[in-house]
Amino acid sequence: MTLRLLPRGIRLAVASCTVALIAASPAARAASNPNIIYILCDDLGYGDVKCLNADGKIATPNMDRLGKEGMRFTDAHSSSAVCSPTRYGVLTGRYNWRSRLQSGVLGGLSPRLIEPGRMTVASLLKDHGYATGCIGKWHLGMDWVKLPGKDVSELNIESVEQVHNVDFAQPIKNGPNSVGFDFYYGISASLDMVPYTFIQNDHVTVLPTTDKSFPLTEGRKSNPSRLGPAAPEFEARDVLPTLTRKAVEFVGQHAAEAKSGKPFFLYLPLNAPHTPIVPSAEWQGKSGISPYADYVMETDWAIGEVLRALDQQGLAENTLVMFTSDNGCSPQANFAELAEKGHNPSYVFRGTKADIFDGGHHIPFIARWPGKIKAGTTSDQITCLTDFMATCAEIIGAKLPDDAGEDSVSMLPALLGKADKPLREAIVHHSINGSFAIRQGNWKLELCSSSGGWSAPRPNTVAAKGLPAVQLYDMTADIGEKTNTQADHTELVDRLTHLLEKYVADGRSTPGAPQKNDVPIELWKDRTFKAKSGSAD
């Protein structure tokens, strides 16, 4: 029966339902959604960004442009003080310590960390009509084909004896393409980890047929990176420019579709300014400060190239750009040398990358979305990089299932200037050795006597063992974490400890059905951790 033979009222009802169904389809919803670019720098300190640190000495005009045209978050945190765990949290919206990785980082040959079937930001957006791409440093594991009888480390960096245990000619399984990315181009882990070759989707672009290592700081006497398999023409200094070029190409390739209603999501985890600190020839000496400062400037240039591509393609107005870092600045930046020029990558925070102190995880975060985010604004909301998933979900009108984004809180009210109260009940911090801290309002409780990382007092040292078992700081009055007030606020220590225990037991820190952690969680780590070198994680 045709619609013309039906009564007029029924015809109108059917037509209305048809229109509603079309409007509710992923393709129709996607047409009104913004493009999203998430730029994750590697080991960039809060104090390295000029618009966040008026006393900073490194020129960052493109980061500053984002700050001028968008919103600067002054109390944003990575979920971990080191690489792999933070990246897990960014893409899954789940605290990294709920996974199998309880301390440290993965290696370049480690198997996948993200659990099969787990929703990621990429799979969420792909299911809602987005084209998805990842260009850069992955560092979340992928399944290489191992040579017969050989093995690689699962949850830490491969040993010297293991670097040749993989058949690099075979396709790689369970990499970025398996968790929602249509396209991937980049390196498997940090630039100081093997293999030294680019990967596109499920294969290396050039077989690593030789062995190489690179100085950890260009032009300086320093320990080299790990010696291992490399493509003959691969050079560390070429990686940042190559990733930048690929990102610009990605924007150009998806511009026409984006304008016609199919938005894109580009996750851009840059390799810099992490070691090896290798500014390109044209950037060497540009800062007049140090190689690290030069590399930060080149990283800023890379961000500028992406912004320029958006301008040239006419996409800036409908693109949400988020810029941040995976953790605090590494000691490899040479803090003493930078201090001589009046620059502190950790700003006013105590500690560095790897630490439970804020210098380990209090990171730069700037968001720009013209017409939605008021230009030149600042937010003091406490946020975590795990919040990316819930933010994307709210933007596209999706409801997260109970087993996804367990620790993700939407930042959208803050971005739109509509947050009139704290968005988070609390936030959990995690250091390289697995030490925990919980922050609620101005109070931060650290469940360790040490830094939990590379700063003094280091875990299991005599100095640390002579201190109270917990640390409690008033982050409003004591942002530098100098005065431990735990003895004066025992009831607060108990309350925050119980809240953290609840988050662990519930398998989530947001409303919803309780979930299971992947492994049992040990809240106290100082007694079992042996301090590792801060050279290259």
Side-chain angles (χ1 to χ4, degrees):
M1 180 181 292
T2 65
L3 282 178
R4 285 184 300 173
L5 299 178
L6 293 173
R8 184 173 181 273
I10 295 178
R11 291 203 309 270
L12 289 174
V14 171
S16 297
C17 289
T18 302
V19 170
L21 287 171
I22 292 172
S25 70
R29 289 195 303 268
S32 62
N33 290 330
N35 308 304
I36 300 171
I37 297 181
Y38 194 95
I39 303 172
L40 185 67
C41 295
D42 199 359
D43 288 6
L44 181 74
Y46 184 102
D48 290 328
V49 182
K50 185 68 175 175
C51 68
L52 295 174
N53 178 14
D55 295 325
K57 299 299 186 289
I58 303 175
T60 55
N62 295 295
M63 300 176 196
D64 297 348
R65 176 190 170 188
L66 282 174
K68 182 179 180 181
E69 298 175 357
M71 177 178 285
R72 292 164 289 157
F73 283 77
T74 59
D75 213 346
H77 300 263
S78 52
S79 64
S80 170
V82 283
C83 300
S84 300
T86 286
R87 291 156 203 273
Y88 177 92
V90 168
L91 290 181
T92 67
R94 186 188 193 215
Y95 282 136
N96 49 273
W97 44 266
R98 299 193 191 280
S99 76
R100 292 172 293 127
L101 186 63
Q102 293 295 292
S103 63
V105 299
L106 302 182
L109 302 180
S110 298
R112 68 179 293 170
L113 179 62
I114 297 176
E115 302 81 14
R118 173 161 288 279
M119 180 184 287
T120 67
V121 175
S123 66
L124 169 70
L125 293 175
K126 183 175 181 177
D127 287 346
H128 285 77
Y130 276 73
T132 57
C134 172
I135 295 172
K137 166 184 166 177
W138 183 239
H139 213 175
L140 282 169
M142 52 184 70
D143 294 344
W144 300 87
V145 175
K146 291 175 285 189
L147 294 171
K150 300 295 185 179
D151 206 355
V152 294
S153 298
E154 181 179 355
L155 294 173
N156 49 54
I157 302 168
E158 49 278 338
S159 66
V160 174
E161 295 77 20
Q162 293 176 331
V163 297
H164 292 285
N165 287 0
V166 162
D167 185 348
F168 293 103
Q170 297 300 315
I172 307 162
K173 295 181 179 179
N174 296 321
N177 299 126
S178 71
V179 294
F181 289 105
D182 299 320
F183 175 77
Y184 173 67
Y185 186 94
I187 53 177
S188 67
S190 299
L191 189 49
D192 54 15
M193 298 177 186
V194 303
Y196 302 120
T197 187
F198 287 109
I199 299 166
Q200 182 165 317
N201 294 326
D202 66 348
H203 61 275
V204 298
T205 59
V206 179
L207 285 174
T209 55
T210 187
D211 278 5
K212 287 188 179 185
S213 65
F214 304 99
L216 289 186
T217 301
E218 184 80 32
R220 299 281 180 89
K221 277 191 173 181
S222 61
N223 294 326
S225 66
R226 298 165 181 86
L227 178 66
E233 303 301 319
F234 187 94
E235 294 296 336
R237 71 177 67 88
D238 297 332
V239 172
L240 181 58
T242 299
L243 298 179
T244 304
R245 175 172 54 83
K246 287 290 185 179
V248 170
E249 289 175 0
F250 182 91
V251 172
Q253 289 164 358
H254 291 83
E257 281 190 341
K259 291 175 183 176
S260 63
K262 184 176 178 62
F264 64 79
F265 165 48
L266 173 59
Y267 171 51
L268 183 58
L270 299 174
N271 64 286
H274 188 290
T275 53
I277 298 170
V278 283
S280 303
E282 58 266 39
W283 290 97
Q284 292 176 19
K286 269 279 175 81
S287 68
I289 299 174
S290 72
Y292 174 77
D294 296 340
Y295 210 23
V296 170
M297 290 183 67
E298 186 172 7
T299 304
D300 179 80
W301 161 83
I303 293 167
E305 290 297 289
V306 175
L307 299 181
R308 189 171 297 110
L310 291 174
D311 292 337
Q312 291 173 346
Q313 297 293 344
L315 297 173
E317 289 300 309
N318 194 39
T319 300
L320 168 60
V321 177
M322 290 181 165
F323 150 77
T324 187
S325 179
D326 63 344
N327 44 247
C329 181
S330 168
Q332 287 292 323
N334 195 334
F335 275 57
E337 180 181 28
L338 293 167
E340 290 177 0
K341 299 296 177 68
H343 183 78
N344 183 1
S346 291
Y347 186 47
V348 296
F349 312 134
R350 181 180 180 181
T352 67
K353 170 185 177 177
D355 293 346
I356 203 66
F357 303 133
D358 261 36
H361 50 80
H362 195 144
I363 39 88
F365 192 98
I366 303 174
R368 186 192 76 172
W369 188 5
K372 298 288 186 178
I373 297 175
K374 187 177 179 180
T377 52
T378 300
S379 173
D380 62 0
Q381 285 280 343
I382 298 174
T383 62
C384 182
L385 296 191
T386 57
D387 295 337
F388 183 42
M389 174 172 275
T391 304
C392 288
E394 186 170 5
I395 287 172
I396 64 176
K399 186 180 186 306
L400 295 177
D402 279 337
D403 62 351
E406 294 95 329
D407 302 297
S408 192
V409 176
S410 176
M411 298 168 60
L412 189 59
L415 295 172
L416 301 181
K418 297 179 179 179
D420 56 1
K421 60 182 180 180
L423 297 177
R424 282 186 151 271
E425 178 185 40
I427 184 173
V428 179
H429 308 305
H430 204 234
S431 76
I432 190 172
N433 82 325
S435 290
F436 282 86
I438 183 168
R439 166 100 178 267
Q440 187 174 50
N442 58 307
W443 290 105
K444 179 183 178 186
L445 175 67
E446 299 164 0
L447 301 191
C448 56
S449 61
S450 68
S451 69
W454 298 337
S455 296
R458 293 176 66 128
N460 284 344
T461 59
V462 173
K465 291 177 180 177
L467 296 171
V470 300
Q471 304 173 67
L472 180 70
Y473 297 104
D474 181 344
M475 300 303 287
T476 299
D478 183 22
I479 190 67
E481 299 176 82
K482 296 177 181 178
T483 304
N484 184 1
T485 66
Q486 56 86 28
D488 301 323
H489 300 283
T490 55
E491 76 294 338
L492 189 55
V493 170
D494 289 342
R495 181 170 64 78
L496 290 174
T497 301
H498 291 152
L499 180 59
L500 179 54
E501 290 172 342
K502 181 180 186 300
Y503 285 173
V504 171
D506 289 349
R508 66 182 317 122
S509 57
T510 58
Q515 300 295 310
K516 290 185 177 180
N517 302 312
D518 294 349
V519 295
I521 308 300
E522 182 185 347
L523 282 177
W524 303 89
K525 300 287 172 54
D526 265 2
R527 302 181 189 90
T528 58
F529 179 70
K530 294 182 179 179
K532 297 180 181 179
S533 166
S535 60
D537 283 313

